[in-house]
């Protein structure tokens, strides 16, 4: 029997860091640094239905069974334009390498913190497990293992980068040049605004097992946050495109990440 997506997350995490002072956000990577929040949602399942029914001069104010059937038809036959009449804005705090993958999705709007304007807070992502390079999918990774020596070297490199960055600033070097020493695991923040069609395209690609684990955790979070606003559309989309997917609730992110890397 197909498992239904829970319509509401079970818990909401709250961080005290001054850079994460917005409400209803989650920590997808489970390190008390990463953050994901839906800061604005405009539209609902009703708007998708009305965008489709305007072709016949029709208008509804609430979702009926025939509207569910219409949404199902639109999803199954890839009629995408009705899903564009809405907007979702997320605020994200993620490692730079996640942000750079994210911004490959170009039909969206982005604004990012600038370490040319402000000093970098020097927060770094440290993987909870190491992974091997996949020998079949050359861009992907597999497995999960501990290596204390590798971890020590990784942290040593971060400390060198941190000290060098601080030293450059102290010597009067401008921020726009000093930031060049920072590694791609440095955390950045940005606002990401999209419509439902663009979001589901992102999710289809970034929830795929071939996507990097870290961005997959953010994708799970985006789906969980958007779901209460578009429950019918996202359930039908999941049923058609990712039928085996179970949406992770907020308090599952950290163990889910560990399980994901260990099962590979």
């Amino acid at each position: 029997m197909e498992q239904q997506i829970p319509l509401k997350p079970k818990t909401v995490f709250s961080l005290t860091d001054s850079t994460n002072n917005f409400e209803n956000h989650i920590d997808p990577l489970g390190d008390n640094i990463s953050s994901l929040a839906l800061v604005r949602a405009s539209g609902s399942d009703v708007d998708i239905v009305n965008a489709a029914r305007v072709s016949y001069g029709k208008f509804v104010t609430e979702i009926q069974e025939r509207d569910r059937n219409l949404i199902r038809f639109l999803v199954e036959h890839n009629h995408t334009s009705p899903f564009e009449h809405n907007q979702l804005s997320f605020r994200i705090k993620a490692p730079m390498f996640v942000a750079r993958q994210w911004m490959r999705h170009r039909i969206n709007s982005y604004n990012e913190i600038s370490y040319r304007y402000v000093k970098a807070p020097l927060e770094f992502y440290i993987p909870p497990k190491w992974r091997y390079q996949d020998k079949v999918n050359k861009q992907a990774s597999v497995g999960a293992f501990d290596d204390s020596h590798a971890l020590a070297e990784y942290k040593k490199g971060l400390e060198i980068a941190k000290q060098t960055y601080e030293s450059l600033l102290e010597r009067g070097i401008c921020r726009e040049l000093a930031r060049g020493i920072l590694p791609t695991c440095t955390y950045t923040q940005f606002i990401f605004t999209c419509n439902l069609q663009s979001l589901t395209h992102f999710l289809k690609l970034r929830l795929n097992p071939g996507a990097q684990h870290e961005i997959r955790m953010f994708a799970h979070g985006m789906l969980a946050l958007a779901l209460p606003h578009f429950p019918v559309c996202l359930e039908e989309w999941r049923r058609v495109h990712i039928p085996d997917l179970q949406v992770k609730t907020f308090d599952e992110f950290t163990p889910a990440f560990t399980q994901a890397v260990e099962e590979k």
Side-chain angles (χ1 to χ4, degrees):
M1 183 177 179
E2 188 176 87
Q3 182 169 345
Q4 297 296 309
I5 298 177
L7 294 185
K8 292 184 179 180
K10 291 191 290 187
T11 58
V12 176
F13 284 92
S14 178
L15 302 183
T16 57
D17 187 289
S18 60
T19 59
N20 290 306
N21 56 4
F22 42 92
E23 297 179 353
N24 298 330
H25 65 275
I26 59 177
D27 179 8
L29 301 183
D31 61 357
N32 290 322
I33 305 175
S34 74
S35 184
L36 172 67
L38 178 59
V39 296
R40 184 179 66 258
S42 172
S44 67
D45 291 323
V46 170
D47 295 291
I48 279 76
V49 170
N50 283 331
R53 293 201 184 281
V54 73
S55 299
Y56 295 92
K58 303 294 184 180
F59 181 84
V60 304
T61 58
E62 59 182 21
I63 296 292
Q64 305 290 340
E65 186 59 32
R66 71 190 194 113
D67 300 313
R68 292 176 180 269
N69 293 335
L70 173 60
I71 290 174
R72 182 176 302 116
F73 177 86
L74 295 174
V75 173
E76 290 178 345
H77 293 83
N78 291 314
H79 292 299
T80 59
S81 61
F83 298 96
E84 298 174 2
H85 298 275
N86 51 78
Q87 190 180 76
L88 302 102
S89 290
F90 297 88
R91 180 163 178 165
I92 297 104
K93 186 175 181 181
M96 286 182 179
F97 65 79
V98 170
R100 298 303 160 253
Q101 292 177 4
W102 203 307
M103 292 178 187
R104 293 295 299 161
H105 298 264
R106 295 184 293 274
I107 312 301
N108 302 289
S109 297
Y110 297 92
N111 280 94
E112 185 177 8
I113 190 172
S114 174
Y115 294 149
R116 184 186 185 205
Y117 294 172
V118 299
K119 180 182 176 183
L122 299 178
E123 296 173 301
F124 305 107
Y125 173 67
I126 300 176
K129 296 281 185 179
W130 300 110
R131 303 190 293 268
Y132 297 104
Q133 191 70 40
D134 192 334
K135 295 183 179 180
V136 177
N137 183 351
K138 299 302 177 67
Q139 67 182 19
S141 58
V142 294
F145 63 97
D146 295 309
D147 186 327
S148 58
H149 178 73
L151 180 61
E153 289 295 305
Y154 190 92
K155 290 182 176 180
K156 179 181 177 181
L158 295 181
E159 186 60 30
I160 292 172
K162 178 180 178 180
Q163 291 179 4
T164 303
Y165 177 74
E166 296 278 13
S167 176
L168 290 173
L169 293 178
E170 290 173 2
R171 294 178 66 85
I173 305 300
C174 59
R175 288 186 295 267
E176 66 183 22
L177 292 178
R179 63 181 173 170
I181 199 67
L182 298 176
T184 59
C185 67
T186 304
Y187 269 91
T188 185
Q189 296 183 57
F190 60 98
I191 299 290
F192 167 68
T193 299
C194 61
N195 59 44
L196 193 61
Q197 169 58 24
S198 181
L199 175 64
T200 53
H201 177 70
F202 179 99
L203 295 176
K204 185 176 181 181
L205 295 177
R206 299 305 179 177
L207 288 171
N208 186 283
Q212 185 165 342
H213 289 294
E214 286 79 6
I215 200 169
R216 286 174 65 190
M217 300 312 295
F218 278 92
H220 275 291
M222 293 171 72
L223 180 53
L225 290 172
L227 187 58
H229 299 276
F230 301 93
V232 178
C233 290
L234 288 174
E235 167 61 21
E236 288 301 324
W237 173 82
R238 183 201 63 81
R239 182 185 62 81
V240 171
H241 294 287
I242 312 183
D244 297 327
L245 178 72
Q246 297 181 15
V247 175
K248 302 182 187 305
T249 50
F250 289 179
D251 54 354
E252 294 178 309
F253 279 105
T254 301
F257 177 83
T258 301
Q259 181 181 2
V261 296
E262 289 180 346
E263 286 182 350
K264 276 289 185 180

